[in-house]
Amino acid sequence: MVEVLRPHLDRQGQRGGQAKLSVEEQLLVALEYWREYRSQFHIAVSWGIHETTVGRIVRKVEDLLVKGGRFRLPSQRPLYQPGWEWKVMMVDVGEMEIERPQKTKALLQRQAAMPHAESPTASGV
């Protein structure tokens, strides 16, 4: 894997910013992410780099390994096999009105007849 990655990731003696991690260390970062299922944050803390740098390294290493043709990374989706038995569950969902208590006429009349509280400044006191 290092042989595939070295021509693309090794920046020694080139112009521009130098990588903080060597090619081998970048490969280890990617392998930790894939194998140990650690979060990018935890890998970043253990290597002393930023979380987004871990994401960039993982994406770059993955792309280079796939493009190199010598390594095939497993797919996320399962392949269909003719022997599988499909089980389907259907759920019929409909809308229903929510039953709320209705306000009665007596309650509405009582609310209308209640006098409003007056503030002391409005009564002139």
Side-chain angles (χ1 to χ4, degrees):
M1 288 183 173
V2 173
E3 292 172 5
V4 172
L5 297 175
R6 188 171 303 283
H8 302 284
L9 296 179
D10 194 14
R11 297 204 34 90
Q12 288 184 351
Q14 293 183 3
R15 294 178 140 191
Q18 299 299 314
K20 184 174 181 181
L21 302 178
S22 68
V23 175
E24 291 85 0
E25 291 171 337
Q26 291 182 41
L27 177 61
L28 280 174
V29 165
L31 290 174
E32 280 182 18
Y33 181 74
W34 295 329
R35 180 67 178 131
E36 297 175 6
Y37 303 109
R38 293 174 63 194
S39 68
Q40 292 180 1
F41 173 76
H42 289 105
I43 294 172
V45 168
S46 64
W47 285 94
I49 56 179
H50 197 270
E51 184 176 355
T52 56
T53 305
V54 173
R56 240 182 286 125
I57 289 172
V58 169
R59 192 172 42 251
K60 193 184 316 179
V61 167
E62 182 176 306
D63 291 343
L64 290 172
L65 290 176
V66 169
K67 193 173 20 172
R70 291 174 49 188
F71 302 97
R72 185 178 148 294
L73 300 178
S75 171
Q76 293 292 328
R77 59 190 169 100
L79 301 175
Y80 172 74
Q81 296 177 358
W84 286 0
E85 181 180 326
W86 292 91
K87 293 182 181 180
V88 178
M89 179 173 58
M90 295 184 67
V91 178
D92 184 20
V93 179
E95 292 185 23
M96 294 179 56
E97 280 190 40
I98 298 174
E99 295 183 23
R100 294 192 174 120
Q102 299 295 321
K103 291 187 177 181
T104 61
K105 286 185 181 180
L107 178 65
L108 293 173
Q109 289 173 351
R110 213 174 0 161
Q111 286 178 348
M114 290 176 61
H116 296 290
E118 295 182 12
S119 61
T121 57
S123 63
V125 178

